[in-house]
mmCIF file of all heavy atoms in Angstrom:
data_model
loop_
_atom_site.group_PDB
_atom_site.id
_atom_site.type_symbol
_atom_site.label_atom_id
_atom_site.label_comp_id
_atom_site.label_asym_id
_atom_site.label_seq_id
_atom_site.Cartn_x
_atom_site.Cartn_y
_atom_site.Cartn_z
ATOM 1 N N PRO A 1 -16.417 -15.156 1.333
ATOM 2 C CA PRO A 1 -15.714 -14.580 2.517
ATOM 3 C C PRO A 1 -14.221 -14.584 2.360
ATOM 4 O O PRO A 1 -13.316 -13.579 2.688
ATOM 5 C CB PRO A 1 -16.159 -15.398 3.714
ATOM 6 C CG PRO A 1 -17.544 -15.866 3.330
ATOM 7 C CD PRO A 1 -17.406 -16.105 1.784
ATOM 8 N N SER A 2 -13.602 -15.756 1.824
ATOM 9 C CA SER A 2 -12.191 -15.809 1.612
ATOM 10 C C SER A 2 -11.694 -14.839 0.625
ATOM 11 O O SER A 2 -10.592 -14.211 0.702
ATOM 12 C CB SER A 2 -11.767 -17.361 1.314
ATOM 13 O OG SER A 2 -12.331 -17.661 0.013
ATOM 14 N N VAL A 3 -12.427 -14.766 -0.522
ATOM 15 C CA VAL A 3 -12.071 -13.779 -1.533
ATOM 16 C C VAL A 3 -12.027 -12.408 -1.014
ATOM 17 O O VAL A 3 -11.261 -11.559 -1.412
ATOM 18 C CB VAL A 3 -12.847 -14.048 -2.840
ATOM 19 C CG1 VAL A 3 -12.651 -12.913 -3.781
ATOM 20 C CG2 VAL A 3 -12.556 -15.328 -3.472
ATOM 21 N N GLU A 4 -13.034 -12.067 -0.197
ATOM 22 C CA GLU A 4 -13.115 -10.782 0.371
ATOM 23 C C GLU A 4 -11.890 -10.465 1.234
ATOM 24 O O GLU A 4 -11.476 -9.197 1.136
ATOM 25 C CB GLU A 4 -14.412 -10.645 1.292
ATOM 26 C CG GLU A 4 -14.572 -9.194 1.793
ATOM 27 C CD GLU A 4 -15.778 -9.183 2.735
ATOM 28 O OE1 GLU A 4 -16.633 -10.126 2.809
ATOM 29 O OE2 GLU A 4 -16.055 -8.106 3.313
ATOM 30 N N VAL A 5 -11.515 -11.292 1.892
ATOM 31 C CA VAL A 5 -10.171 -11.097 2.693
ATOM 32 C C VAL A 5 -9.006 -10.830 1.802
ATOM 33 O O VAL A 5 -8.240 -9.805 2.169
ATOM 34 C CB VAL A 5 -9.798 -12.150 3.761
ATOM 35 C CG1 VAL A 5 -8.476 -11.965 4.271
ATOM 36 C CG2 VAL A 5 -10.876 -12.432 4.760
ATOM 37 N N ILE A 6 -8.957 -11.604 0.701
ATOM 38 C CA ILE A 6 -7.944 -11.297 -0.173
ATOM 39 C C ILE A 6 -7.968 -10.021 -0.901
ATOM 40 O O ILE A 6 -6.948 -9.157 -0.990
ATOM 41 C CB ILE A 6 -7.616 -12.401 -1.233
ATOM 42 C CG1 ILE A 6 -7.487 -13.835 -0.553
ATOM 43 C CG2 ILE A 6 -6.659 -12.114 -2.273
ATOM 44 C CD1 ILE A 6 -6.080 -13.883 0.046
ATOM 45 N N THR A 7 -9.262 -9.631 -1.134
ATOM 46 C CA THR A 7 -9.426 -8.234 -1.602
ATOM 47 C C THR A 7 -9.006 -7.267 -0.698
ATOM 48 O O THR A 7 -8.495 -6.200 -1.227
ATOM 49 C CB THR A 7 -10.913 -8.217 -2.025
ATOM 50 O OG1 THR A 7 -11.380 -9.183 -2.906
ATOM 51 C CG2 THR A 7 -11.237 -6.689 -2.720
ATOM 52 N N THR A 8 -9.294 -7.338 0.489
ATOM 53 C CA THR A 8 -8.837 -6.353 1.390
ATOM 54 C C THR A 8 -7.365 -6.204 1.408
ATOM 55 O O THR A 8 -6.746 -5.053 1.432
ATOM 56 C CB THR A 8 -9.137 -6.793 2.881
ATOM 57 O OG1 THR A 8 -10.509 -6.810 3.013
ATOM 58 C CG2 THR A 8 -8.604 -5.901 4.024
ATOM 59 N N CYS A 9 -6.638 -7.411 1.313
ATOM 60 C CA CYS A 9 -5.121 -7.321 1.294
ATOM 61 C C CYS A 9 -4.651 -6.841 -0.065
ATOM 62 O O CYS A 9 -3.496 -5.953 0.049
ATOM 63 C CB CYS A 9 -4.515 -8.704 1.515
ATOM 64 S SG CYS A 9 -4.989 -9.443 3.068
ATOM 65 N N VAL A 10 -5.077 -7.133 -1.155
ATOM 66 C CA VAL A 10 -4.407 -6.756 -2.550
ATOM 67 C C VAL A 10 -5.137 -5.611 -3.119
ATOM 68 O O VAL A 10 -4.596 -5.107 -4.209
ATOM 69 C CB VAL A 10 -4.232 -7.911 -3.414
ATOM 70 C CG1 VAL A 10 -3.605 -9.030 -2.629
ATOM 71 C CG2 VAL A 10 -5.586 -8.348 -3.891
ATOM 72 N N VAL A 11 -6.180 -5.103 -2.704
ATOM 73 C CA VAL A 11 -6.939 -3.917 -3.279
ATOM 74 C C VAL A 11 -7.086 -2.840 -2.325
ATOM 75 O O VAL A 11 -6.654 -1.640 -2.543
ATOM 76 C CB VAL A 11 -8.363 -4.320 -3.853
ATOM 77 C CG1 VAL A 11 -9.137 -3.130 -4.467
ATOM 78 C CG2 VAL A 11 -8.164 -5.441 -5.001
ATOM 79 N N ASP A 12 -7.766 -3.155 -1.214
ATOM 80 C CA ASP A 12 -8.079 -2.058 -0.273
ATOM 81 C C ASP A 12 -6.940 -1.447 0.516
ATOM 82 O O ASP A 12 -6.755 -0.187 0.388
ATOM 83 C CB ASP A 12 -9.036 -2.522 0.828
ATOM 84 C CG ASP A 12 -10.392 -3.034 0.247
ATOM 85 O OD1 ASP A 12 -10.746 -2.624 -0.978
ATOM 86 O OD2 ASP A 12 -11.125 -3.843 0.839
ATOM 87 N N LEU A 13 -6.137 -2.287 1.052
ATOM 88 C CA LEU A 13 -4.865 -1.692 1.733
ATOM 89 C C LEU A 13 -3.955 -1.048 0.803
ATOM 90 O O LEU A 13 -3.373 0.004 1.120
ATOM 91 C CB LEU A 13 -4.154 -2.903 2.619
ATOM 92 C CG LEU A 13 -4.980 -3.367 3.701
ATOM 93 C CD1 LEU A 13 -4.244 -4.574 4.450
ATOM 94 C CD2 LEU A 13 -5.059 -2.232 4.926
ATOM 95 N N PRO A 14 -3.562 -1.678 -0.297
ATOM 96 C CA PRO A 14 -2.581 -0.882 -1.219
ATOM 97 C C PRO A 14 -3.153 0.384 -1.703
ATOM 98 O O PRO A 14 -2.442 1.293 -2.141
ATOM 99 C CB PRO A 14 -2.442 -1.881 -2.363
ATOM 100 C CG PRO A 14 -2.668 -3.221 -1.745
ATOM 101 C CD PRO A 14 -3.856 -2.897 -0.927
ATOM 102 N N THR A 15 -4.527 0.444 -1.904
ATOM 103 C CA THR A 15 -5.197 1.785 -2.355
ATOM 104 C C THR A 15 -4.995 2.910 -1.146
ATOM 105 O O THR A 15 -4.680 3.937 -1.434
ATOM 106 C CB THR A 15 -6.592 1.541 -2.714
ATOM 107 O OG1 THR A 15 -6.669 0.643 -3.791
ATOM 108 C CG2 THR A 15 -7.282 2.825 -3.126
ATOM 109 N N ALA A 16 -5.208 2.414 0.108
ATOM 110 C CA ALA A 16 -5.082 3.399 1.131
ATOM 111 C C ALA A 16 -3.693 3.844 1.613
ATOM 112 O O ALA A 16 -3.460 4.826 1.779
ATOM 113 C CB ALA A 16 -5.860 2.604 2.416
ATOM 114 N N LEU A 17 -2.646 2.807 1.607
ATOM 115 C CA LEU A 17 -1.524 3.055 2.322
ATOM 116 C C LEU A 17 -0.483 3.830 1.342
ATOM 117 O O LEU A 17 0.049 4.788 1.579
ATOM 118 C CB LEU A 17 -0.789 1.788 2.811
ATOM 119 C CG LEU A 17 -1.649 1.332 4.059
ATOM 120 C CD1 LEU A 17 -1.013 0.057 4.635
ATOM 121 C CD2 LEU A 17 -1.773 2.270 5.101
ATOM 122 N N PRO A 18 -0.180 3.239 0.105
ATOM 123 C CA PRO A 18 0.734 3.849 -0.749
ATOM 124 C C PRO A 18 0.254 5.089 -1.688
ATOM 125 O O PRO A 18 0.973 5.737 -2.277
ATOM 126 C CB PRO A 18 1.150 2.682 -1.725
ATOM 127 C CG PRO A 18 0.622 1.560 -1.167
ATOM 128 C CD PRO A 18 -0.514 1.814 -0.393
ATOM 129 N N ARG A 19 -1.027 5.118 -1.578
ATOM 130 C CA ARG A 19 -1.680 6.215 -2.486
ATOM 131 C C ARG A 19 -1.232 7.629 -2.360
ATOM 132 O O ARG A 19 -0.708 8.297 -3.261
ATOM 133 C CB ARG A 19 -3.184 6.149 -2.256
ATOM 134 C CG ARG A 19 -3.938 7.157 -3.215
ATOM 135 C CD ARG A 19 -5.460 6.939 -2.880
ATOM 136 N NE ARG A 19 -6.219 7.805 -3.828
ATOM 137 C CZ ARG A 19 -7.452 7.796 -4.007
ATOM 138 N NH1 ARG A 19 -8.279 6.891 -3.092
ATOM 139 N NH2 ARG A 19 -8.147 8.540 -4.819
ATOM 140 N N ARG A 20 -0.951 7.980 -1.006
ATOM 141 C CA ARG A 20 -0.451 9.424 -0.778
ATOM 142 C C ARG A 20 0.915 9.542 -1.410
ATOM 143 O O ARG A 20 1.257 10.675 -1.779
ATOM 144 C CB ARG A 20 -0.548 9.667 0.707
ATOM 145 C CG ARG A 20 0.498 9.033 1.560
ATOM 146 C CD ARG A 20 0.380 9.458 2.940
ATOM 147 N NE ARG A 20 -0.870 9.274 3.691
ATOM 148 C CZ ARG A 20 -1.021 8.118 4.358
ATOM 149 N NH1 ARG A 20 -0.050 7.271 4.441
ATOM 150 N NH2 ARG A 20 -2.169 7.854 4.911
ATOM 151 N N HIS A 21 1.715 8.545 -1.391
ATOM 152 C CA HIS A 21 3.001 8.675 -1.802
ATOM 153 C C HIS A 21 3.083 8.709 -3.375
ATOM 154 O O HIS A 21 3.839 9.434 -3.959
ATOM 155 C CB HIS A 21 3.902 7.509 -1.447
ATOM 156 C CG HIS A 21 3.933 7.444 0.009
ATOM 157 N ND1 HIS A 21 4.689 8.259 0.898
ATOM 158 C CD2 HIS A 21 3.524 6.522 0.996
ATOM 159 C CE1 HIS A 21 4.681 7.986 2.157
ATOM 160 N NE2 HIS A 21 3.905 6.907 2.320
ATOM 161 N N LEU A 22 2.146 7.946 -4.019
ATOM 162 C CA LEU A 22 2.198 7.977 -5.435
ATOM 163 C C LEU A 22 1.658 9.276 -6.010
ATOM 164 O O LEU A 22 1.812 9.683 -7.232
ATOM 165 C CB LEU A 22 1.417 6.767 -6.012
ATOM 166 C CG LEU A 22 1.970 5.388 -5.802
ATOM 167 C CD1 LEU A 22 0.981 4.310 -6.281
ATOM 168 C CD2 LEU A 22 3.224 5.309 -6.538
ATOM 169 N N GLY A 23 0.819 9.958 -5.191
ATOM 170 C CA GLY A 23 0.363 11.291 -5.563
ATOM 171 C C GLY A 23 1.353 12.334 -5.564
ATOM 172 O O GLY A 23 1.132 13.518 -6.028
ATOM 173 N N ARG A 24 2.445 12.133 -4.981
ATOM 174 C CA ARG A 24 3.652 13.088 -4.931
ATOM 175 C C ARG A 24 4.831 12.577 -5.809
ATOM 176 O O ARG A 24 5.270 11.469 -5.558
ATOM 177 C CB ARG A 24 4.025 13.400 -3.518
ATOM 178 C CG ARG A 24 2.869 13.907 -2.543
ATOM 179 C CD ARG A 24 3.433 14.258 -1.179
ATOM 180 N NE ARG A 24 4.163 13.334 -0.600
ATOM 181 C CZ ARG A 24 3.668 12.623 0.410
ATOM 182 N NH1 ARG A 24 2.335 12.876 0.815
ATOM 183 N NH2 ARG A 24 4.301 11.684 1.135
ATOM 184 N N LEU A 25 5.327 13.523 -6.476
ATOM 185 C CA LEU A 25 6.593 13.147 -7.329
ATOM 186 C C LEU A 25 7.785 13.570 -6.650
ATOM 187 O O LEU A 25 7.939 14.416 -5.786
ATOM 188 C CB LEU A 25 6.545 13.969 -8.647
ATOM 189 C CG LEU A 25 5.289 13.635 -9.603
ATOM 190 C CD1 LEU A 25 5.517 14.542 -10.848
ATOM 191 C CD2 LEU A 25 5.313 12.095 -10.027
ATOM 192 N N THR A 26 8.892 12.816 -6.769
ATOM 193 C CA THR A 26 10.173 12.980 -6.254
ATOM 194 C C THR A 26 10.726 14.241 -7.135
ATOM 195 O O THR A 26 10.188 14.610 -8.157
ATOM 196 C CB THR A 26 11.115 11.747 -6.331
ATOM 197 O OG1 THR A 26 11.276 11.424 -7.742
ATOM 198 C CG2 THR A 26 10.529 10.627 -5.532
ATOM 199 N N ALA A 27 12.045 14.561 -6.513
ATOM 200 C CA ALA A 27 12.619 15.748 -7.274
ATOM 201 C C ALA A 27 12.963 15.473 -8.685
ATOM 202 O O ALA A 27 12.935 16.372 -9.658
ATOM 203 C CB ALA A 27 13.877 16.110 -6.505
ATOM 204 N N ASP A 28 13.187 14.219 -9.082
ATOM 205 C CA ASP A 28 13.499 13.846 -10.468
ATOM 206 C C ASP A 28 12.386 13.422 -11.241
ATOM 207 O O ASP A 28 12.553 12.813 -12.354
ATOM 208 C CB ASP A 28 14.609 12.705 -10.402
ATOM 209 C CG ASP A 28 14.158 11.479 -9.732
ATOM 210 O OD1 ASP A 28 13.038 11.449 -9.237
ATOM 211 O OD2 ASP A 28 14.828 10.475 -9.806
ATOM 212 N N GLY A 29 11.122 13.669 -10.628
ATOM 213 C CA GLY A 29 9.870 13.309 -11.442
ATOM 214 C C GLY A 29 9.429 12.015 -11.403
ATOM 215 O O GLY A 29 8.530 11.584 -12.088
ATOM 216 N N ALA A 30 9.936 11.128 -10.482
ATOM 217 C CA ALA A 30 9.496 9.675 -10.248
ATOM 218 C C ALA A 30 8.443 9.659 -9.318
ATOM 219 O O ALA A 30 8.213 10.578 -8.517
ATOM 220 C CB ALA A 30 10.711 8.859 -9.919
ATOM 221 N N ALA A 31 7.686 8.553 -9.283
ATOM 222 C CA ALA A 31 6.684 8.282 -8.316
ATOM 223 C C ALA A 31 7.194 7.038 -7.513
ATOM 224 O O ALA A 31 7.318 5.962 -8.098
ATOM 225 C CB ALA A 31 5.370 7.921 -8.923
ATOM 226 N N GLN A 32 7.417 7.230 -6.278
ATOM 227 C CA GLN A 32 8.142 6.251 -5.431
ATOM 228 C C GLN A 32 7.374 5.965 -4.118
ATOM 229 O O GLN A 32 7.073 7.030 -3.519
ATOM 230 C CB GLN A 32 9.514 6.567 -5.354
ATOM 231 C CG GLN A 32 10.341 5.506 -4.576
ATOM 232 C CD GLN A 32 11.840 5.766 -4.536
ATOM 233 O OE1 GLN A 32 12.152 7.071 -4.663
ATOM 234 N NE2 GLN A 32 12.701 4.865 -4.356
ATOM 235 N N VAL A 33 7.170 4.726 -3.761
ATOM 236 C CA VAL A 33 6.626 4.372 -2.462
ATOM 237 C C VAL A 33 7.764 4.140 -1.594
ATOM 238 O O VAL A 33 8.549 3.120 -1.852
ATOM 239 C CB VAL A 33 5.700 3.253 -2.619
ATOM 240 C CG1 VAL A 33 5.109 2.939 -1.268
ATOM 241 C CG2 VAL A 33 4.457 3.584 -3.596
ATOM 242 N N PRO A 34 7.974 4.768 -0.509
ATOM 243 C CA PRO A 34 9.157 4.573 0.348
ATOM 244 C C PRO A 34 9.233 3.119 0.981
ATOM 245 O O PRO A 34 8.175 2.543 1.147
ATOM 246 C CB PRO A 34 8.932 5.675 1.523
ATOM 247 C CG PRO A 34 8.095 6.594 0.855
ATOM 248 C CD PRO A 34 7.265 5.997 -0.092
ATOM 249 N N ALA A 35 10.456 2.673 1.173
ATOM 250 C CA ALA A 35 10.544 1.347 1.728
ATOM 251 C C ALA A 35 9.835 1.202 3.009
ATOM 252 O O ALA A 35 9.208 0.146 3.285
ATOM 253 C CB ALA A 35 11.978 1.130 2.049
ATOM 254 N N ASP A 36 9.640 2.255 3.850
ATOM 255 C CA ASP A 36 9.014 2.279 5.200
ATOM 256 C C ASP A 36 7.639 1.875 4.942
ATOM 257 O O ASP A 36 6.835 1.089 5.579
ATOM 258 C CB ASP A 36 9.236 3.402 6.073
ATOM 259 C CG ASP A 36 8.401 3.323 7.192
ATOM 260 O OD1 ASP A 36 8.764 2.642 8.193
ATOM 261 O OD2 ASP A 36 7.463 4.110 7.366
ATOM 262 N N ALA A 37 6.989 2.568 3.941
ATOM 263 C CA ALA A 37 5.572 2.476 3.705
ATOM 264 C C ALA A 37 5.143 1.091 3.123
ATOM 265 O O ALA A 37 4.153 0.531 3.433
ATOM 266 C CB ALA A 37 4.969 3.464 2.619
ATOM 267 N N ARG A 38 6.177 0.403 2.342
ATOM 268 C CA ARG A 38 5.979 -0.786 1.720
ATOM 269 C C ARG A 38 6.050 -1.872 2.910
ATOM 270 O O ARG A 38 5.431 -2.984 2.944
ATOM 271 C CB ARG A 38 6.997 -1.091 0.658
ATOM 272 C CG ARG A 38 6.753 -0.183 -0.460
ATOM 273 C CD ARG A 38 7.936 -0.218 -1.547
ATOM 274 N NE ARG A 38 7.897 -1.529 -2.290
ATOM 275 C CZ ARG A 38 8.759 -1.687 -3.393
ATOM 276 N NH1 ARG A 38 9.457 -0.715 -3.781
ATOM 277 N NH2 ARG A 38 8.519 -2.884 -4.013
ATOM 278 N N ALA A 39 6.954 -1.647 3.856
ATOM 279 C CA ALA A 39 7.086 -2.651 4.869
ATOM 280 C C ALA A 39 5.852 -2.575 5.847
ATOM 281 O O ALA A 39 5.396 -3.640 6.266
ATOM 282 C CB ALA A 39 8.339 -2.233 5.789
ATOM 283 N N ARG A 40 5.241 -1.476 6.042
ATOM 284 C CA ARG A 40 4.009 -1.404 6.872
ATOM 285 C C ARG A 40 2.882 -1.962 6.158
ATOM 286 O O ARG A 40 2.147 -2.599 6.771
ATOM 287 C CB ARG A 40 3.824 0.041 7.170
ATOM 288 C CG ARG A 40 4.883 0.730 8.060
ATOM 289 C CD ARG A 40 4.601 2.190 8.544
ATOM 290 N NE ARG A 40 5.711 2.744 9.329
ATOM 291 C CZ ARG A 40 5.757 2.645 10.490
ATOM 292 N NH1 ARG A 40 4.840 1.987 11.187
ATOM 293 N NH2 ARG A 40 6.846 3.066 11.181
ATOM 294 N N LEU A 41 2.833 -1.792 4.771
ATOM 295 C CA LEU A 41 1.872 -2.409 4.005
ATOM 296 C C LEU A 41 1.988 -4.021 4.113
ATOM 297 O O LEU A 41 0.930 -4.646 4.462
ATOM 298 C CB LEU A 41 1.914 -1.996 2.567
ATOM 299 C CG LEU A 41 1.006 -2.794 1.546
ATOM 300 C CD1 LEU A 41 -0.445 -2.539 2.069
ATOM 301 C CD2 LEU A 41 1.146 -2.345 0.219
ATOM 302 N N ALA A 42 3.106 -4.500 3.959
ATOM 303 C CA ALA A 42 3.430 -5.855 4.202
ATOM 304 C C ALA A 42 3.094 -6.485 5.599
ATOM 305 O O ALA A 42 2.259 -7.406 5.716
ATOM 306 C CB ALA A 42 4.785 -6.315 3.869
ATOM 307 N N ALA A 43 3.272 -5.736 6.627
ATOM 308 C CA ALA A 43 2.908 -6.005 8.013
ATOM 309 C C ALA A 43 1.339 -5.976 8.122
ATOM 310 O O ALA A 43 0.862 -6.925 8.872
ATOM 311 C CB ALA A 43 3.534 -4.954 8.888
ATOM 312 N N ALA A 44 0.771 -5.054 7.601
ATOM 313 C CA ALA A 44 -0.778 -5.026 7.716
ATOM 314 C C ALA A 44 -1.417 -6.137 7.029
ATOM 315 O O ALA A 44 -2.328 -6.842 7.424
ATOM 316 C CB ALA A 44 -1.191 -3.685 6.923
ATOM 317 N N VAL A 45 -0.717 -6.528 5.776
ATOM 318 C CA VAL A 45 -1.357 -7.685 5.129
ATOM 319 C C VAL A 45 -1.221 -8.991 5.898
ATOM 320 O O VAL A 45 -2.139 -9.677 6.041
ATOM 321 C CB VAL A 45 -0.721 -7.759 3.742
ATOM 322 C CG1 VAL A 45 -0.939 -9.121 3.061
ATOM 323 C CG2 VAL A 45 -1.103 -6.684 2.829
ATOM 324 N N ARG A 46 0.019 -9.189 6.545
ATOM 325 C CA ARG A 46 0.229 -10.388 7.283
ATOM 326 C C ARG A 46 -0.747 -10.358 8.564
ATOM 327 O O ARG A 46 -1.166 -11.484 8.813
ATOM 328 C CB ARG A 46 1.678 -10.367 7.731
ATOM 329 C CG ARG A 46 2.765 -10.646 6.571
ATOM 330 C CD ARG A 46 4.024 -10.710 7.025
ATOM 331 N NE ARG A 46 5.067 -10.656 5.885
ATOM 332 C CZ ARG A 46 5.375 -11.794 5.274
ATOM 333 N NH1 ARG A 46 4.794 -12.991 5.555
ATOM 334 N NH2 ARG A 46 6.171 -11.762 4.207
ATOM 335 N N ALA A 47 -0.957 -9.204 8.971
ATOM 336 C CA ALA A 47 -1.849 -9.201 10.192
ATOM 337 C C ALA A 47 -3.265 -9.544 9.796
ATOM 338 O O ALA A 47 -3.997 -10.309 10.531
ATOM 339 C CB ALA A 47 -1.843 -7.824 10.839
ATOM 340 N N VAL A 48 -3.775 -9.041 8.653
ATOM 341 C CA VAL A 48 -5.130 -9.447 8.130
ATOM 342 C C VAL A 48 -5.186 -11.029 7.916
ATOM 343 O O VAL A 48 -6.222 -11.639 8.294
ATOM 344 C CB VAL A 48 -5.511 -8.772 6.784
ATOM 345 C CG1 VAL A 48 -6.730 -9.348 6.217
ATOM 346 C CG2 VAL A 48 -5.611 -7.292 7.147
#
């Protein structure tokens, strides 16, 4: 059960939240997760 919660935090949530951003390239061809999305991911992890 404890490892499952960690898996939710470091596998499931990062796959769901930043994924859409990594699927789109910036104008200079980079893949970037915006600071807002990273902050929301951190908040979700802390809530879990």
Side-chain angles (χ1 to χ4, degrees):
S2 63
V3 171
E4 183 181 354
V5 172
I6 298 298
T7 302
T8 297
C9 292
V10 306
V11 178
D12 300 338
L13 287 175
T15 299
L17 295 180
R19 183 176 182 175
R20 70 174 65 93
H21 299 289
L22 290 176
R24 299 193 299 262
L25 295 178
T26 62
D28 59 356
Q32 186 175 20
V33 181
D36 176 73
R38 294 170 74 169
R40 292 180 186 278
L41 174 60
V45 169
R46 293 181 188 278
V48 170

